[in-house]
Amino acid sequence: MKKLCAISLLLVCLLCGCAGSAPVERDIFAMDTLMLIRVWGCEDDASAAVSEINRLDALLSVTNENSEIFALNRDGEAELSADTYDLLVKAIAVSRRTDGAFDPTVYPLVVAWGFTKDEQHVPTQEALDAARSLVGYERLESDLDVTYFSIDGKLDFGGIAKGYAAQKAIDLLQSRGVETAFLSLGGNVQTLGSKPDGEKWIVGIADPNTPSQAIACLRFTGSLALVTSGGYQRYFDENGVRYHHILDPKTGYPADSGLASVTVLAHDGALADGLSTALFVMGMEKATALWRESDDFEAVFLTEDGGIFATEGAAPLLTDCDFTVVER
Ligand code: AMP
Ligand code: MG
């Protein structure tokens, strides 16, 4: 009987294509970026993760005319699905924690700079002032407890949606019994479990001056989300000045905090994503102050003058570079 069970188990594994050491891989384009999905499981598991990411993209995209966010931004009101509501709650929590450095109502500013349509340009002061008058996460808070939502501004989940999607895909894989997975959603990395061969996960941190090359690596085992925000990821040059896509809601201009990139490590993908954007806006001093009063994230900071700084919890994972440890 024991032998029969062993044979049928093996059969089940063969039939569904469950991998022992070789993962099932998918490359997709979603949320305006290339994504890699690597699942130590069945073909169906990988397909389920892909469907989940595509579903969230269709819901949360600011540019897709059929998305819930597009309708909300167009009409100023909408009935929110459970996911949009859930993400809104998470986004507002990050806004509060970072004193508005992360702000999901930043969309009018993103449009003013032309980042949504690849028509980037420096806006006039008039256009900037008009956009800024519509930005402020505080305006969202009074309506938070309802699923029917109205807003006199516009939402943009571009700074948090990929992390949320990675987390939801990992949650789904886990509910399907998958124990190991590696997702890279346009550089937003999230791992589930440890590699079957016992090797560490290795995730590179891009060199801001040569983004195709790693300036350092993070090596670790187990489940983790690692999200990098950097000015080098999307930018344009006008009259010899570089303008990037991470905006300081307080000034309306691209954040000028002395940082070239921030990589946040956390157990929740959405939190890591929202915080990476926020810490980039805040700069080293405010970001490390927030880290000192928090216990749910670690970070690696690359400064514009070439420095590398790692918080105490990130430091043991950081390799292949010289760096300074940020102490509590
Ligand atoms: P990320 O790459 O996660 O840092 O997100 C950058 C994207 O988030 C931008 O392309 C904008 O769509 C949006 N964004 C820009 N500035 C902010 C901000 N201060 N708070 C929230 N979202 C932002
Ligand atoms: Mg982000």
Side-chain angles (χ1 to χ4, degrees):
M1 180 60 184
K2 231 178 177 177
K3 196 171 173 191
L4 187 65
C5 283
I7 289 170
S8 53
L9 250 183
L10 180 71
L11 261 182
V12 170
C13 279
L14 288 177
L15 284 177
C16 70
C18 285
S21 56
V24 180
E25 284 196 6
R26 297 288 166 80
D27 292 303
I28 62 165
F29 188 83
M31 298 187 164
D32 213 18
T33 189
L34 284 171
M35 301 185 173
L36 166 70
I37 286 118
R38 198 174 276 160
V39 177
W40 280 258
C42 309
E43 290 286 342
D44 283 354
D45 295 325
S47 300
V50 170
S51 301
E52 180 66 352
I53 291 164
N54 284 331
R55 181 183 74 80
L56 290 167
D57 189 10
L59 202 63
L60 302 172
S61 163
V62 271
T63 49
N64 177 347
E65 295 184 7
N66 299 313
S67 84
E68 200 168 299
I69 295 302
F70 189 93
L72 178 65
N73 286 345
R74 181 192 56 214
D75 304 337
E77 55 185 11
E79 274 190 42
L80 299 187
S81 62
D83 279 308
T84 307
Y85 179 71
D86 187 26
L87 182 52
L88 195 52
V89 171
K90 287 179 194 296
I92 292 172
V94 176
S95 300
R96 278 193 195 135
R97 276 180 77 172
T98 62
D99 192 25
F102 177 87
D103 193 323
T105 66
V106 77
Y107 193 57
L109 282 171
V110 176
V111 172
W113 285 90
F115 278 113
T116 45
K117 293 190 173 156
D118 274 338
E119 291 168 0
Q120 292 100 326
H121 59 273
V122 179
T124 61
Q125 194 56 47
E126 223 180 356
L128 264 187
D129 291 344
R132 272 178 63 203
S133 72
L134 290 169
V135 176
Y137 73 94
E138 299 88 349
R139 69 184 66 219
L140 301 173
E141 298 192 282
S142 57
D143 289 325
L144 243 191
D145 56 342
V146 290
T147 49
Y148 180 79
F149 190 75
S150 67
I151 177 176
D152 58 352
K154 290 181 196 303
L155 292 181
D156 176 9
F157 285 136
I160 195 168
K162 288 204 291 282
Y164 183 72
Q167 183 66 53
K168 292 286 287 190
I170 290 282
D171 291 347
L172 181 72
L173 288 169
Q174 222 173 350
S175 74
R176 294 173 65 95
V178 172
E179 290 178 357
T180 308
F182 176 95
L183 309 182
S184 175
L185 312 192
N188 276 31
V189 170
Q190 191 154 352
T191 61
L192 170 65
S194 290
K195 285 169 88 173
D197 61 8
E199 294 286 315
K200 289 185 173 176
W201 300 114
I202 304 175
V203 177
I205 297 179
D207 181 343
N209 298 314
T210 319
S212 58
Q213 287 174 18
I215 200 167
C217 288
L218 289 156
R219 295 167 194 260
F220 59 96
T221 53
S223 304
L224 196 61
L226 307 93
V227 180
T228 299
S229 285
Y232 63 87
Q233 291 171 335
R234 188 174 292 187
Y235 61 84
F236 66 96
D237 295 315
E238 195 173 298
N239 296 329
V241 181
R242 181 149 294 186
Y243 299 93
H244 62 72
H245 68 134
I246 304 175
L247 305 173
D248 182 342
K250 293 200 166 64
T251 63
Y253 271 79
D256 185 14
S257 66
L259 291 174
S261 81
V262 181
T263 301
V264 171
L265 294 68
H267 287 292
D268 182 81
L271 178 70
D273 197 356
L275 279 178
S276 72
T277 308
L279 301 194
F280 184 89
V281 173
M282 293 163 85
M284 271 286 284
E285 203 173 314
K286 284 186 183 160
T288 51
L290 177 65
W291 168 75
R292 287 195 179 93
E293 66 190 40
S294 308
D295 62 1
D296 55 357
F297 74 92
E298 301 292 336
V300 178
F301 303 94
L302 306 194
T303 58
E304 275 176 348
D305 55 11
I308 304 181
F309 297 83
T311 57
E312 270 176 9
L317 282 50
L318 194 60
T319 63
D320 306 87
C321 68
D322 293 327
F323 64 91
T324 305
V325 180
V326 180
E327 288 168 356
R328 276 217 184 261

